[in-house]
């Protein structure tokens, strides 16, 4: 009976995924057909495949595909460093390509969606075990509706990172600590934020087992071990074990107190921009100084929501380990702002996307406030449609 219930959950998730991705494919196809669009962020040869795959190959995707194909010694000139991108996701793309011989871009889209579906399955179980089926279903729905949710299907690391983190939390509550360690290792080899899983997972172990928790902490050493392997590789190949941190300066990111970025962004919003008259019939990229107020406002709103929602979630019964994970996940990118960019908190809407406690909080709010639920169900997909149009036509959004 339990297996049948699990299959029903998976089938429901796949149905929601199919409807949402089909909608995005139509929007992306129409946008690429009718909107001139901007230029690729890197002057490299673009992948050749059907538009249903290439529309997901934008911005950082170029880096992941290049690393998948050539490793970290890229044959392209760039003042950016590829070591800013962690290795597991491009390794997965390369592995699928070698096993199936399908194009790298196709492999990237396929594995992103597979990782996403598996992550949603474990997220459903994690939430249902803590709360109930309604909250679990609403959490999945809001994960699909969130304005930057399309990144889960793009050639980006969001889906794999979500899988690693959700798997780690789910396994910890099931007392499957080696699986939790593997989930954490997946996360830490995908993004630097993965190392922060040590704190909430250790908290869960102590809550469940008290003084005997040390036996469960041992498998969690897989997380720092995986992190160390990446640092050792960088030390051997570049002479700098922290190259992934130092590389961020190429993108204009520098360590600062978390309030510096948000204050700088607010100042930018309040600073008047000289009026510009756009020539009639000329395409103007959205990534222009005239729109810096808009980008800064979006990212400031994302940062504020990223701080408020975990605290609201705690009020609604979310455990401290979830809240701590979410807050750390917001504060770390806030502490590495792009101070000299058009938006000092660049990509914040994407960074908070993978913080699953935020989606749970939205589900809890919707359950308690039906009128707000309707407003969110209407507004969020409309915003996502606009964001995806910007993304797929080479107009920066996150």
């Amino acid at each position: 009976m339990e297996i049948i219930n699990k299959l029903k959950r998976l089938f429901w998730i796949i149905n929601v995924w199919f409807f949402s991705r089909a909608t995005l494919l139509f929007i992306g196809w129409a946008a690429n057909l009718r909107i001139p669009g901007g230029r690729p962020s890197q002057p490299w040869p673009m992948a050749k495949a059907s538009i249903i795959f290439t529309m997901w190959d934008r911005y950082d995707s170029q880096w992941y595909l290049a690393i998948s194909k050539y490793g970290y010694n890229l044959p392209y000139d760039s003042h950016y460093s590829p070591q800013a991108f962690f290795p597991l996701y491009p390794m997965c793309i390369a592995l699928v390509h070698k096993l199936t011989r399908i194009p790298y871009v196709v492999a990237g889209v396929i594995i992103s969606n597979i990782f996403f579906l598996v992550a949603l399955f474990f997220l459903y179980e994690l939430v249902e075990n803590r709360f109930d089926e309604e909250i679990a279903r609403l959490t999945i729905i809001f994960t699909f509706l969130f304005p930057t949710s399309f990144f889960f299907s793009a050639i980006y690391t969001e889906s794999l990172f979500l899988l690693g983190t959700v798997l780690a939390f789910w396994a910890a509550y099931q007392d499957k600590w080696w699986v939790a360690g593997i989930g954490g290792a997946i996360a830490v080899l995908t993004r630097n934020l993965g190392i922060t899983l040590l704190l909430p997972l250790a908290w869960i172990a102590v809550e469940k087992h008290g003084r005997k928790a040390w036996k469960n902490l041992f498998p969690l050493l897989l997380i720092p071990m995986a992190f160390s392997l990446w640092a050792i590789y960088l030390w051997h190949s570049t002479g700098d074990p922290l190259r992934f941190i130092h590389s961020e300066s190429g993108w204009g990111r520098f360590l600062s107190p978390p309030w510096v970025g948000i204050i700088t962004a607010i100042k930018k919003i309040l600073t008047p921009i000289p009026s510009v008259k756009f020539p009639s019939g000329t395409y103007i990229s959205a990534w222009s100084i005239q729109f810096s107020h808009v980008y800064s406002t979006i990212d400031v709103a994302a940062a504020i929501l990223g701080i408020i929602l975990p605290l609201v979630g705690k009020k609604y019964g979310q455990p401290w380990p979830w809240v701590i994970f979410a807050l750390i996940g917001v504060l770390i990118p806030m502490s590495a702002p792009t101070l000299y960019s058009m938006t000092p908190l660049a990509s914040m809407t994407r960074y908070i996307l993978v913080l699953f406690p935020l989606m749970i909080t939205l589900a809890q709010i919707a359950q308690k406030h039906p009128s707000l639920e309707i407003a969110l169900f209407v507004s969020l997909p409309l915003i996502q449609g606009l964001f995806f149009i910007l993304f797929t036509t080479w107009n920066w959004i996150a």
Side-chain angles (χ1 to χ4, degrees):
M1 191 65 180
E2 181 64 24
I3 294 177
I4 294 175
N5 289 333
K6 289 180 183 293
L7 290 175
K8 286 181 178 179
R9 292 171 195 158
L10 181 59
F11 183 71
W12 178 80
I13 291 170
I14 291 174
N15 278 336
V16 180
W17 167 84
F18 179 81
F19 177 78
S20 67
R21 301 307 106 164
T23 303
L24 287 172
L25 282 173
F26 175 78
I27 292 172
W29 171 79
N32 279 275
L33 184 67
R34 302 300 302 174
I35 299 176
R39 297 179 179 179
S41 57
Q42 300 298 325
W44 304 339
M46 292 297 296
K48 295 182 180 179
S50 169
I51 192 173
I52 67 172
F53 297 105
T54 58
M55 71 170 67
W56 306 97
D57 173 16
R58 299 293 184 265
Y59 297 101
D60 288 0
S61 304
Q62 290 185 279
W63 287 94
Y64 291 120
L65 291 176
I67 295 170
S68 301
K69 190 173 183 179
Y70 300 108
Y72 284 93
N73 295 316
L74 303 185
Y76 308 124
D77 292 329
S78 176
H79 73 278
Y80 300 113
S81 173
Q83 284 78 16
F85 300 93
F86 276 53
L88 185 57
Y89 182 72
M91 285 173 61
C92 291
I93 296 176
L95 178 62
V96 172
H97 168 76
K98 289 180 180 179
L99 292 176
T100 64
R101 308 313 299 175
I102 60 177
Y104 289 95
V105 65
V106 176
V109 173
I110 289 174
I111 67 168
S112 285
N113 283 280
I114 292 175
F115 292 150
F116 185 34
L117 288 170
V118 177
L120 291 175
F121 177 80
F122 284 107
L123 178 59
Y124 191 113
E125 290 216 340
L126 175 67
V127 178
E128 186 180 37
N129 291 339
R130 180 73 188 190
F131 297 106
D132 55 47
E133 184 180 17
E134 182 184 2
I135 293 295
R137 286 189 171 234
L138 284 171
T139 298
I140 300 302
I141 290 172
F142 278 112
T143 304
F144 278 110
L145 294 182
F146 198 78
T148 49
S149 180
F150 57 85
F151 278 106
F152 285 128
S153 293
I155 305 175
Y156 271 68
T157 59
E158 269 61 28
S159 58
L160 182 56
F161 184 79
L162 180 69
L163 172 57
T165 55
V166 171
L167 179 62
F169 277 94
W170 173 85
Y173 284 107
Q174 300 294 321
D175 271 334
K176 302 178 186 294
W177 290 99
W178 282 107
V179 177
I182 292 171
I186 290 172
V188 81
L189 289 175
T190 305
R191 289 165 72 163
N192 56 5
L193 186 62
I195 193 66
T196 66
L197 284 170
L198 277 172
L199 177 58
L201 292 178
W203 190 311
I204 294 172
V206 172
E207 277 187 337
K208 290 174 68 68
H209 301 287
R211 294 181 178 180
K212 297 181 180 179
W214 66 270
K215 296 179 181 179
N216 308 112
L217 296 178
F218 182 72
L220 298 184
L221 292 176
L222 289 174
I223 301 174
M225 286 174 61
F227 192 77
S228 298
L229 286 176
W230 174 230
I232 291 171
Y233 167 80
L234 292 176
W235 187 18
H236 180 265
S237 60
T238 70
D240 181 5
L242 299 179
R243 183 61 178 265
F244 63 93
I245 294 177
H246 302 149
S247 298
E248 292 292 343
S249 61
W251 276 267
R253 292 189 179 276
F254 300 94
L255 290 177
S256 305
W259 58 83
V260 171
I262 200 166
I263 291 175
T264 305
I266 292 173
K267 288 181 179 178
K268 187 177 286 290
I269 294 170
L270 298 176
T271 302
I273 293 178
S275 60
V276 176
K277 186 176 181 179
F278 298 121
S280 177
T282 302
Y283 174 79
I284 303 296
S285 172
W287 189 247
S288 304
I289 189 64
Q290 292 78 19
F291 303 107
S292 61
H293 285 65
V294 177
Y295 281 107
S296 294
T297 300
I298 292 171
D299 288 321
V300 166
I304 293 174
L305 282 175
I307 294 173
I308 293 176
L309 287 179
L311 300 178
V312 174
K314 184 68 183 75
K315 177 184 176 182
Y316 287 157
Q318 290 188 35
W320 273 114
W322 299 11
V323 176
I324 290 172
F325 166 71
L327 289 174
I328 292 175
V330 177
L331 292 174
I332 285 182
M334 286 180 63
S335 300
T338 50
L339 296 178
Y340 306 106
S341 171
M342 284 209 309
T343 168
L345 296 174
S347 300
M348 189 58 67
T349 53
R350 177 165 58 86
Y351 292 146
I352 68 171
L353 171 66
V354 295
L355 306 177
F356 68 87
L358 273 60
M359 308 305 157
I360 300 172
T361 303
L362 290 175
Q364 293 172 310
I365 293 173
Q367 184 189 53
K368 294 181 181 295
H369 305 282
S371 58
L372 187 55
E373 177 184 19
I374 295 173
L376 291 172
F377 277 11
V378 172
S379 61
L380 291 182
L382 292 176
I383 297 172
Q384 182 177 173
L386 173 60
F387 282 9
F388 185 57
I389 290 173
L390 291 172
F391 170 81
T392 196
T393 56
W394 291 103
N395 287 285
W396 176 262
I397 188 60

